[in-house]
Amino acid sequence: GYLQPQVVDGFSEEPIEGATVVIPETGQKFVTSGDGFTAMIQIPMREDEHFADIAPKPWGEVTIIVYMEDYIDYVLFHAHVWESQSRKGPKILLFPKVEGEKNEPFSVVEGPHRIWVRDLVEKYRP
């Protein structure tokens, strides 16, 4: 599958050029262009074995870490990647660092697809 993250300012939603986007599962690093997008990133599909015997997921998941000077670091866990599909996104909102604050990294989790969640709930309904 393919992803093309876009990095924007969290307040204005203006694109951020020069942000570094890292995919730890592949070791790849990308830099955003003037429109805030990276190049299209090819992601190898990996099954989520935690759900293999419960309700297999038809998509893969990766982690996206974003760094930009003067902005708080950002980590998106479980970003969806669908086999043989290209995803324009996800849109990542970075917020400026605040002077005198710890500026801990933002940690965000992309939830499972709603159809998969519905099917899981129905499968185990008493």
Side-chain angles (χ1 to χ4, degrees):
Y2 294 86
L3 288 177
Q4 190 175 24
Q6 183 186 33
V7 180
V8 300
D9 181 272
F11 293 118
S12 69
E13 293 199 35
E14 290 295 318
I16 295 176
E17 182 176 7
T20 300
V21 175
V22 178
I23 309 294
E25 290 84 352
T26 66
Q28 296 173 291
K29 295 179 184 180
F30 301 86
V31 176
T32 57
S33 60
D35 60 3
F37 283 98
T38 66
M40 191 63 74
I41 304 169
Q42 184 174 8
I43 307 290
M45 296 300 294
R46 295 187 181 133
E47 182 180 354
D48 182 349
E49 295 185 17
H50 177 78
F51 289 97
D53 296 330
I54 300 169
K57 293 180 179 178
W59 67 86
E61 299 175 342
V62 295
T63 308
I64 300 173
I65 305 174
V66 182
Y67 305 93
M68 181 64 189
E69 188 174 340
D70 299 326
Y71 283 87
I72 298 170
D73 298 331
Y74 179 104
V75 183
L76 175 61
F77 295 96
H78 305 288
H80 299 178
V81 181
W82 295 82
E83 189 171 14
S84 302
Q85 293 186 21
S86 296
R87 177 179 179 186
K88 193 135 180 128
K91 182 187 277 189
I92 295 167
L93 283 73
L94 293 187
F95 291 90
K97 290 181 178 176
V98 177
E99 187 72 31
E101 296 291 325
K102 287 186 179 181
N103 295 305
E104 294 289 331
F106 277 100
S107 169
V108 180
V109 176
E110 186 167 48
H113 192 279
R114 62 182 168 70
I115 294 172
W116 181 86
V117 171
R118 184 194 65 216
D119 291 347
L120 179 68
V121 168
E122 291 306 317
K123 179 178 181 176
Y124 290 98
R125 183 176 298 287

